[in-house]
Amino acid sequence: MRLTALSTLLAMLASAGVWANSTEASSGSQDPLKDDSQAPLKDDSQAPLKAVVTIGMLGDVVKEVGGECVAVTTMMGPGVDPHLYQASARDIHQLGEAELILYSGYELEGRLSKVLNGFSRRKPTVAVSEEAIPEDEVIHSQDSYGVDPHLWMDSALWARTVPVVAEVLSKYRPQCEDAIQSRAESYTAELSALDNWIQTSVSSIPEQQRILVTAHDAFNYYGRAYDIEVAGIQGLSTSTESGVADIRRMARLVAKRQVPAMFIESTINPRTVQAVIDAAADTGHQVNIGGELYSDAMGEDGTADGTYIGMLVANTRTIVEALGGQLSPLPEALDEWQQHWRGVDTRGADT
């Protein structure tokens, strides 16, 4: 059965042309935001644009900006690690049916690169983060990534993706341009209010305790934007295991700084965090698990945490309360979002 499934997937990949000259495809593919040869068909179709998006954080931006003009399929759902994700036969089929493919880029979806490069030769395919955020504004790293790809952890930075999404959606559904631009402006205002709320809430944490210790380095943009020190047991990618030296190093830091709480992540096994807690206890320092954070994926569909705003609201609530801060009330600009999700199970917003 496994051999049959593999053969089917390989056949689909071959028919899509995704294995052929992937490096050439990457360097030779044209930017659909600038390439008029990929302009929409002149049929004035009123059907929603079929867009396939790799990660939920970007998928939510596309939904918010596109509204009824876009039908969004998100490849990676709750609890899925984009660093390790590989395309399935179903993914290949969905990508083949798509009119537009959007991914974050900056090597986040590294194991999908051949597939994405292959499809970029056939249909509009946009690395949204790379279009929206120049390299001189990203966090550079010394590992194989070269760039920290977790840009969504800074709400103001992630808001830069909104006009890019609005532009590409308007190009392929020009009859929706006015509605798309209006929704983009409203959503940008919400993200600005979210950014201010996070800054105010995090600043209430006592300075000595303002350190965020997590399983891997997914929160560096959060730390830079909101003035909180960040320490990850693993590096940017989850593809390598933490070693004994990593655990001991982190345990010494936690004990020295008297960190009250560490945090597990929704997409990563908590055993490394527990190992640090145990190692810190051997030194005489008691540290608790402050809660679970969303790092590489949002919460469950149909909940507030399953939205980009809800993801950061939930994370900030968990961090601030566990580290001894005082959470600020959500701003008026997020009233519509909060009212929509009032009464729905969530650990982020008041219900």
Side-chain angles (χ1 to χ4, degrees):
M1 291 293 292
R2 271 187 269 181
L3 183 58
T4 301
L6 178 59
S7 299
T8 301
L9 178 55
L10 290 174
M12 296 179 73
L13 289 169
S15 66
V18 299
W19 296 120
N21 300 321
S22 62
T23 302
E24 178 183 342
S26 179
S27 60
S29 61
Q30 294 177 304
D31 184 351
L33 292 175
K34 302 173 183 176
D35 179 16
D36 289 336
S37 68
Q38 292 185 329
L41 296 176
K42 303 298 184 180
D43 62 354
D44 296 324
S45 172
Q46 298 299 311
L49 179 70
K50 295 179 182 178
V52 172
V53 187
T54 53
I55 60 171
M57 292 72 71
L58 182 57
D60 198 50
V61 174
V62 179
K63 290 176 184 177
E64 290 292 333
V65 173
E68 295 181 355
C69 293
V70 184
V72 179
T73 298
T74 301
M75 291 174 63
M76 306 180 206
V80 176
D81 185 343
H83 303 285
L84 304 177
Y85 191 83
Q86 299 186 61
S88 65
R90 179 182 180 184
D91 293 327
I92 300 301
H93 176 74
Q94 291 176 335
L95 290 166
E97 293 292 314
E99 297 174 81
L100 173 68
I101 299 171
L102 301 173
Y103 66 105
S104 185
Y106 282 128
E107 302 300 325
L108 175 71
E109 304 97 338
R111 296 193 179 186
L112 289 176
S113 59
K114 288 185 177 181
V115 173
L116 294 171
N117 286 337
F119 275 106
S120 73
R121 300 163 61 212
R122 302 174 52 205
K123 59 183 63 187
T125 303
V126 182
V128 176
S129 293
E130 294 178 17
E131 290 282 349
I133 303 163
E135 281 205 39
D136 61 358
E137 295 186 43
V138 302
I139 296 174
H140 292 269
S141 63
Q142 300 300 316
D143 59 11
S144 59
Y145 277 75
V147 169
D148 184 340
H150 304 92
L151 297 125
W152 56 86
M153 288 299 178
D154 176 347
S155 178
L157 198 62
W158 196 240
R160 306 268 196 91
T161 65
V162 174
V164 172
V165 168
E167 181 180 355
V168 71
L169 295 183
S170 296
K171 178 175 181 177
Y172 294 103
R173 282 298 182 272
Q175 69 272 22
C176 292
E177 182 174 3
D178 289 344
I180 287 170
Q181 293 302 325
S182 177
R183 293 179 67 90
E185 290 174 8
S186 297
Y187 190 53
T188 299
E190 289 184 330
L191 296 186
S192 177
L194 174 66
D195 180 64
N196 292 331
W197 174 79
I198 297 173
Q199 289 183 8
T200 301
S201 296
V202 172
S203 67
S204 71
I205 300 172
E207 188 171 353
Q208 175 64 21
Q209 298 176 190
R210 205 176 299 163
I211 176 170
L212 175 60
V213 182
T214 60
H216 87 298
D217 280 337
F219 293 86
N220 290 319
Y221 289 101
Y222 190 96
R224 183 178 74 175
Y226 307 118
D227 193 26
I228 181 171
E229 184 179 347
V230 174
I233 304 170
Q234 292 175 250
L236 295 176
S237 174
T238 57
S239 60
T240 57
E241 292 287 340
S242 299
V244 174
D246 298 318
I247 291 170
R248 289 176 177 171
R249 171 183 57 81
M250 193 58 62
R252 288 194 297 269
L253 174 65
V254 165
K256 180 180 179 180
R257 294 287 299 275
Q258 294 294 293
V259 174
M262 294 177 60
F263 301 88
I264 59 176
E265 300 175 35
S266 62
T267 56
I268 298 180
N269 191 306
R271 64 178 179 271
T272 55
V273 172
Q274 188 60 54
V276 173
I277 290 174
D278 294 341
D282 291 341
T283 71
H285 176 64
Q286 182 71 35
V287 58
N288 299 312
I289 292 180
E292 182 181 72
L293 302 179
Y294 300 114
S295 55
D296 291 330
M298 304 187 302
E300 293 295 328
D301 293 339
T303 70
D305 295 2
T307 68
Y308 172 67
I309 289 175
M311 172 191 190
L312 287 191
V313 168
N315 280 353
T316 300
R317 176 184 293 276
T318 300
I319 292 165
V320 170
E321 292 182 345
L323 297 182
Q326 181 66 45
L327 205 69
S328 299
L330 286 175
E332 289 184 6
L334 294 180
D335 278 354
E336 184 176 345
W337 174 86
Q338 193 172 14
Q339 289 296 326
H340 178 80
W341 294 107
R342 187 173 295 279
V344 178
D345 183 29
T346 173
R347 58 180 172 84
D350 293 331
T351 57

